[in-house]
Amino acid sequence: METSTSYPVHELIRQRWSPRAFSAQPVAPEALEQVLEAASWAFSAMNEQPWRYIYAHKADTEAFERLVSCLLPANQAWAKHAPVLMLSLVKTHYDNGQPNRTAMHDVGAANANLFLEATALGLHGHVLGGFDIARTREVFNLPEGLEPVAFIALGYVGTPDQLDEPFRTRETAQRKRKALAEFAFRNQFPD
Ligand SMILES: Cc1cc2nc3c(=O)[nH]c(=O)nc-3n(C[C@H](O)[C@H](O)[C@H](O)COP(=O)(O)O)c2cc1C
């Protein structure tokens, strides 16, 4: 996928995108552990590291199916073909019971690290916020204070012809971003 940027941003950032078509090639367990370690090197408030992950390779048949079963049907349709599925979770409070106001921020940072390390290994990921929260809590017996954030499909990119519409067309659609002037403001927020 060609991504054109206005500035010469790092190639790892340009190469990352979210496919829906994944090849059947499995992900080596060590590669997955490497991307998880990359996640762990993200910054976090008080170095609390509030991210948690539940993951399964396709070979972990039952656990993989459990993850698939939590996704909304439109996401299941393509994500079930990914060789790895993960669920990122957030620990919402510090051990002393105080709420960690920026915990979600830190999970996002860990996920971003995870994705960039994956890109460096030739892997691609796709975040999925479309899942059944109540079912996920139940299926994984999540304790209070641990909230599901987003699922992640991870693997090697496949080809658009593996997908049904509307996903096939979307797979090759041009990627777009807001212009800098729309989200970054020197000195003060505009009136
Ligand atoms: C928190 C979050 C939730 C998302 N949920 C879904 C989803 O449920 N289904 C889906 O197909 N894509 C989902 N996406 C993928 C976004 O649509 C995608 O990242 C965005 O369009 C930008 O494309 P890019 O990742 O290729 O740059 C989600 C992304 C994030 C970060």
Side-chain angles (χ1 to χ4, degrees):
M1 163 92 46
E2 272 300 307
T3 299
S4 77
T5 60
S6 304
Y7 288 89
V9 298
H10 196 280
E11 67 174 315
L12 273 184
I13 293 172
R14 275 190 291 117
Q15 284 169 2
R16 187 212 60 81
W17 65 286
S18 303
R20 291 190 177 85
F22 290 95
S23 91
Q25 187 183 344
V27 176
E30 303 74 34
L32 193 56
E33 285 170 15
Q34 183 167 328
V35 302
L36 284 164
E37 178 173 356
S40 81
W41 286 102
F43 38 65
S44 64
M46 310 281 288
N47 198 19
E48 166 73 3
Q49 305 163 61
W51 46 81
R52 300 289 184 272
Y53 294 94
I54 297 171
Y55 68 89
H57 293 265
K58 190 162 259 140
D60 307 323
T61 320
E62 271 180 39
F64 190 88
E65 276 310 313
R66 268 200 297 279
L67 288 162
V68 171
S69 75
C70 296
L71 297 173
L72 296 186
N75 282 330
Q76 277 182 2
W78 55 269
K80 67 181 179 194
H81 298 297
V84 170
L85 281 177
M86 317 173 77
L87 167 60
S88 58
L89 306 126
V90 62
K91 177 175 177 273
T92 57
H93 289 68
Y94 292 106
D95 289 337
N96 67 7
Q98 288 300 312
N100 181 352
R101 197 184 69 79
T102 51
M104 282 283 243
H105 169 280
D106 297 346
V107 176
N111 283 349
N113 264 20
L114 186 156
F115 274 59
L116 291 178
E117 186 71 21
T119 306
L121 296 179
L123 289 159
H124 278 75
H126 196 132
V127 180
L128 301 110
F131 64 94
D132 184 328
I133 296 174
R135 180 175 169 81
T136 304
R137 294 206 66 87
E138 189 185 309
V139 164
F140 292 101
N141 198 20
L142 298 179
E144 208 181 315
L146 196 61
E147 296 292 331
V149 177
F151 282 68
I152 296 170
L154 193 82
Y156 298 94
V157 176
T159 56
D161 59 12
Q162 294 171 234
L163 299 168
D164 293 329
E165 293 296 358
F167 302 129
R168 189 183 303 182
T169 304
R170 283 185 204 164
E171 196 75 345
T172 50
Q174 206 196 347
R175 297 174 65 228
K176 291 194 183 121
R177 286 302 190 264
K178 289 185 169 65
L180 241 64
E182 291 181 70
F183 69 89
F185 310 103
R186 187 164 180 176
N187 298 335
Q188 62 182 356
F189 199 75
D191 294 327

